[in-house]
Amino acid sequence: MARSPIRPIRLRRLGVDYPRRGKRTWRRWVPSWRQALGVVVLGFTALAGLFAAVYASVDIPDENTEARSQGTVYYWADGSQLVSVGSVNRQNVTLDDIPDSVENAVIAAENETFYSDPGVSATGIARAVVSVVTGGETQGGSTITQQYVKNTYLSQEQSATRKFKEFFISLKLNNKKDKDEILQGYLNTSWFGRGAYGIQAAAHAYYGIPAKDLDPSQAALLASLLKGAEQYDPAGGGGNHERAVDRWAWILDRQVETGTMTKAERAAYRKFPEPKPATKPTSLGGQTGYLVDIANKYIKKRTGLTDKDLFRGGYRVHTTFDKARVGQLERAVRNVRERDLDPEKRPEDKYVEVGAASVRSDGAVVAVYGGADAVTHFANNADTAGVPTGSAFKPFVLAAALQHGDGITLDSGYDSAGRLLKDGPYAAPPALPGAGSGQVMVTAPTPLRDALIKSSNATFVLLGKDIGLKKVKELAVSAGLHEQSLARLDKSFPLGTSTPSAVRMADAYTAFSNDGMRADPYSVTGMTRDGETVEGFEKPEPRRAMDASVADDVNNTLGMLAWTRLRQDGKFTTFAGSRSVDELSAGATGKDDRMKSAWFIGHTEGLTTAVTMFRNKPGTPQLLGMQGVGGPDSERGNVFPLRIWNAYVTGK
């Protein structure tokens, strides 16, 4: 049975000439200009009505002062409190106590139309909402009024709902408060880094003066921090200083363009106003500041939270740090330094730094030593790349050879011509040395096993070349070393020119003692805010870095190396006799290393600990040499990381 044709909805019954009379074919379906205009007007009327309804329904909430009244509390692995990072460092001031140069710099940098705009940027909001919805990068583009609303009335979450509220609250606030009042609130609530909320706290944190004494050059630097203190604090690493200088100069130039500074005034500020060194609260002294630093880095990596968010407070952070182990590691470093180093009598003992980290086989960071005191020594020696590993890198070269070298074993070795004997250097017995004239003395090549124990540079240069430096690099990355910390691939690469941190070296070595499996290092097991769980702290999954047989071969060799090094050092405290060779392994730099550092990475009873020693004079970009540190018998300082590790694991 034939189906009735579907008839279009006829709007003539509603008094609308559609489809249009008197038109044929497709023209009857094209609206007239009057009809099109009517639809547009109707649409705008509906949108205006909706806008008015939403505007009326959105109220300006109370200020979110609750978060500012709480500290963020960090806990040891056993649940006891490590430290509470106190309430927000903020001191309100009026515009009368803020120089015009500060206001001009901030407006030029953040929102030059501040005094004439309606408090919102529709294009900025649209761009931010699209970015949030599509999962793109977090967008700025907000007016000063919108930023003040976010600081004072809303959470820091990046969501379309929050952006929607921000827009309407900003409109209402702009109609309710005058611009000077909004600007004053913005300057008192903005994050400037170094724990400082507001311009007054920032002036003290960066220049040690009140806000009223800031000059235009200093004001431009502080204004640059509003773009992101983590990227623009000159004291930070990773190009911060260069970025800060560029933005400082740009802000001064912008003030000339906007008419708030003359060219003559601008010409007076050519020298960058270096801020004072960053400091930490006394509550973060000793090792505490280094522990919090490592925990915060991990939090930011897993959650997207920033230093600004963490300093707002209200978080409860549960870490992997073992209180007893941290204290034991600190005592071990202090005791060895006091016993064996004398900077007053030996100039070579000056500027000696130590970094150390203990990592469990599952990746948990159990203890670190970041320096003498986090309040006076800002850099975290345990988690800072820049110290070459030397021969401590050679186990990765050996592992790559066993993993990828067809037929290569621990018994393989090189002959005097540099040829690799895969079946072992003892396959053909060497000629015995004789006393007779004309007899040639032949020295047997060293097997790879012995080459690692003896730290033979020549063997590992040849091995890296034969296996391929790219293969060595790939295995080191699989073991957990950051690719950006690895040196360029030249003939010195197998000798340890790379500069990973102590945390990463300890974690990478766990692959040798854990059948080739390793997990990323982690320092936080859980986090809450206002009783709500913060997502992102699932335990890292273990991954295979190398075959189990390869890991076992390297680990057994490292066990021999460990006992060899322990016996060679006449001053070491006797290692607990109950531990067998199978429970102990270590990698280390040797007396023939020419790197400006000394390392010892030891594993025992499920805990791998990396200890590094180097010399770093403040203000000097290059490390100082280790020759002579601790006296002529210290093997370029290489005995000291071993002694620190031994004192740490034995508690003596």
Side-chain angles (χ1 to χ4, degrees):
M1 184 166 125
R3 305 175 77 182
S4 300
I6 298 175
R7 296 184 178 182
I9 297 175
R10 306 268 179 177
L11 297 181
R12 292 195 190 98
R13 298 174 184 175
L14 302 177
V16 179
D17 182 22
Y18 193 83
R20 297 166 65 192
R21 287 191 180 95
K23 302 292 182 182
R24 297 184 180 278
T25 65
W26 58 269
R27 291 182 177 83
R28 58 198 301 257
W29 300 102
V30 178
S32 68
W33 68 268
R34 291 186 180 87
Q35 290 172 338
L37 180 61
V39 170
V40 171
V41 170
L42 182 63
F44 273 114
T45 302
L47 286 174
L50 178 62
F51 184 90
V54 174
Y55 182 86
S57 66
V58 174
D59 295 322
I60 299 176
D62 294 332
E63 292 189 8
N64 56 3
T65 55
E66 178 269 337
R68 299 191 182 99
S69 65
Q70 300 183 57
T72 289
V73 183
Y74 297 80
Y75 298 91
W76 293 103
D78 64 4
S80 59
Q81 183 171 314
L82 167 60
V83 67
S84 175
V85 179
S87 58
V88 167
N89 177 18
R90 175 185 171 199
Q91 304 167 41
N92 289 344
V93 290
T94 66
L95 284 185
D96 292 337
D97 292 321
I98 301 174
D100 290 344
S101 60
V102 172
E103 301 173 36
N104 294 337
V106 169
I107 290 172
E110 296 293 305
N111 182 192
E112 67 174 276
T113 62
F114 170 69
Y115 278 107
S116 60
D117 66 36
V120 296
S121 167
T123 56
I125 283 286
R127 188 168 60 249
V129 169
V130 169
S131 177
V132 169
V133 171
T134 59
E137 212 175 282
T138 300
Q139 297 287 323
S142 299
T143 64
I144 283 175
T145 305
Q146 288 172 250
Q147 292 180 58
Y148 173 53
V149 166
K150 182 173 68 173
N151 291 345
T152 310
Y153 301 104
L154 299 173
S155 71
Q156 299 297 304
E157 66 171 329
Q158 296 294 328
S159 67
T161 300
R162 206 270 293 155
K163 287 288 184 183
F164 185 79
K165 290 180 180 178
E166 177 191 300
F167 183 87
F168 283 98
I169 294 172
S170 298
L171 279 176
K172 276 198 167 183
L173 195 70
N174 192 70
N175 293 330
K176 182 178 180 180
K177 293 186 176 184
D178 64 44
K179 290 288 190 177
D180 283 347
E181 192 175 0
I182 292 172
L183 181 60
Q184 176 179 295
Y186 174 68
L187 290 173
N188 279 324
T189 58
S190 292
W191 167 252
F192 288 88
R194 297 195 182 185
Y197 275 94
I199 191 66
Q200 181 79 340
H204 282 290
Y206 286 86
Y207 292 108
I209 58 176
K212 64 182 179 63
D213 293 336
L214 291 168
D215 65 33
S217 183
Q218 294 166 332
L221 182 276
L222 294 184
S224 72
L225 298 168
L226 294 170
K227 188 173 176 66
E230 290 170 308
Q231 288 77 42
Y232 290 90
D233 181 346
N240 272 33
H241 195 276
E242 182 179 354
R243 282 192 293 269
V245 172
D246 288 345
R247 188 156 178 83
W248 161 80
W250 177 82
I251 290 173
L252 289 172
D253 292 339
R254 283 291 297 154
Q255 292 178 74
V256 175
E257 294 176 15
T258 58
T260 56
M261 178 181 284
T262 68
K263 290 184 178 180
E265 289 172 329
R266 170 66 180 93
Y269 302 109
R270 295 297 177 188
K271 184 179 180 181
F272 183 70
E274 294 288 353
K276 67 178 186 176
T279 60
K280 290 187 177 182
T282 54
S283 62
L284 296 178
Q287 297 307 303
T288 302
Y290 303 124
L291 297 171
V292 170
D293 172 66
I294 288 176
N296 284 351
K297 283 182 181 177
Y298 187 73
I299 290 168
K300 289 183 285 186
K301 178 182 177 182
R302 296 301 294 264
T303 66
L305 291 171
T306 65
D307 282 335
K308 176 182 178 180
D309 300 323
L310 294 171
F311 270 100
R312 290 177 73 90
Y315 293 98
R316 301 291 180 266
V317 181
H318 297 271
T319 75
T320 59
F321 306 131
D322 185 305
K323 185 176 183 179
R325 289 282 188 182
V326 171
Q328 203 165 308
L329 184 55
E330 184 176 24
R331 285 191 298 275
V333 175
R334 184 174 61 247
N335 291 344
V336 170
R337 290 189 68 126
E338 291 177 352
R339 185 188 67 199
D340 295 332
L341 301 182
D342 192 348
E344 297 297 325
K345 295 182 179 179
R346 225 175 358 243
E348 295 85 354
D349 291 358
K350 291 182 178 180
Y351 311 119
V352 170
E353 294 289 343
V354 175
S358 260
V359 178
R360 212 165 53 206
S361 58
D362 66 348
V365 181
V366 173
V368 301
Y369 179 87
D373 190 331
V375 171
T376 57
H377 178 72
F378 193 69
N380 188 340
N381 294 344
D383 199 32
T384 300
V387 182
T389 57
S391 292
F393 186 79
K394 288 175 182 173
F396 301 111
V397 184
L398 177 59
L402 298 175
Q403 182 78 28
H404 300 292
D406 184 24
I408 294 179
T409 70
L410 292 175
D411 292 323
S412 302
Y414 288 89
D415 64 15
S416 58
R419 293 172 299 190
L420 180 61
L421 307 178
K422 291 186 177 180
D423 293 330
Y426 300 121
L432 296 175
S437 175
Q439 285 188 301
V440 179
M441 181 180 292
V442 179
T443 303
T446 304
L448 296 182
R449 177 190 296 104
D450 295 345
L452 181 64
I453 295 171
K454 297 177 181 179
S455 191
S456 170
N457 287 347
T459 295
F460 279 90
V461 168
L462 291 171
L463 190 59
K465 180 181 178 181
D466 285 345
I467 297 304
L469 299 180
K470 187 176 180 181
K471 294 285 188 185
V472 176
K473 177 181 178 179
E474 288 172 352
L475 187 136
V477 171
S478 295
L481 300 187
H482 283 310
E483 186 169 355
Q484 58 267 32
S485 72
L486 299 181
R488 61 179 182 150
L489 302 184
D490 59 20
K491 66 179 183 179
S492 64
F493 180 72
L495 304 183
T497 50
S498 298
T499 58
S501 68
V503 170
R504 281 286 164 175
M505 280 295 281
D507 180 69
Y509 262 62
T510 63
F512 299 132
S513 56
N514 201 30
D515 295 326
M517 301 295 291
R518 48 80 53 181
D520 286 335
Y522 69 99
S523 55
V524 176
T525 57
M527 184 175 175
T528 62
R529 191 173 193 277
D530 300 330
E532 297 292 327
T533 299
V534 178
E535 301 296 331
F537 295 102
E538 300 81 11
K539 190 174 178 180
E541 290 291 329
R543 299 193 298 273
R544 180 159 296 284
M546 64 195 78
D547 291 345
S549 59
V550 170
D552 290 343
D553 280 348
V554 176
N555 196 55
N556 290 338
T557 306
L558 291 176
M560 299 178 204
L561 186 153
W563 284 100
T564 299
R565 292 300 304 275
L566 284 167
R567 292 191 182 100
Q568 285 174 346
D569 183 17
K571 291 187 177 180
F572 77 87
T573 304
T574 303
F575 193 71
S578 61
R579 296 180 174 93
S580 68
V581 173
D582 292 336
E583 295 173 323
L584 171 65
S585 62
T589 48
K591 61 182 179 180
D592 294 328
D593 271 75
R594 290 296 179 264
M595 305 299 174
K596 296 180 179 180
S597 58
W599 286 80
F600 188 86
I601 300 100
H603 170 84
T604 185
E605 298 184 336
L607 200 62
T608 304
T609 303
V611 182
T612 182
M613 179 180 283
F614 54 96
R615 295 178 68 216
N616 184 25
K617 183 178 180 180
T620 303
Q622 302 296 326
L623 298 181
L624 302 178
M626 293 287 289
Q627 186 68 40
V629 172
D633 299 327
S634 72
E635 299 180 4
R636 301 176 62 87
N638 282 293
V639 298
F640 300 126
L642 164 63
R643 292 177 187 174
I644 290 170
W645 177 84
N646 189 52
Y648 167 58
V649 297
T650 61
K652 299 178 181 179

